[in-house]
Amino acid sequence: MAVPKRKMSRSNTRSRRAQWKAAAVTTAACPQCKSPKLPHAACPVCGTYNGRQVIEV
């Protein structure tokens, strides 16, 4: 197993961690009501998925 030979400095550690960014949640427009929704999920506003009603709203 690979083991670091020397301790990594605080500045190197922090600059490496600074590149970890949270990605924004992607949304898709609902084809029925045009409201933003998660892709591959039923629309929380109108309750449709793939052109048919799947949940009562």
Side-chain angles (χ1 to χ4, degrees):
M1 186 169 91
V3 178
K5 194 155 197 150
R6 303 227 179 264
K7 180 178 179 179
M8 189 174 274
S9 68
R10 278 189 191 163
S11 63
N12 281 351
T13 302
R14 289 174 180 166
S15 65
R16 186 186 72 244
R17 287 186 185 148
Q19 300 305 315
W20 288 20
K21 295 176 183 71
V25 177
T26 56
T27 57
C30 174
Q32 304 291 332
C33 63
K34 307 294 187 237
S35 65
K37 69 173 191 71
L38 292 174
H40 306 287
C43 178
V45 177
C46 63
T48 58
Y49 180 74
N50 203 12
R52 57 195 167 94
Q53 192 75 23
V54 291
I55 53 173
E56 290 276 326
V57 181

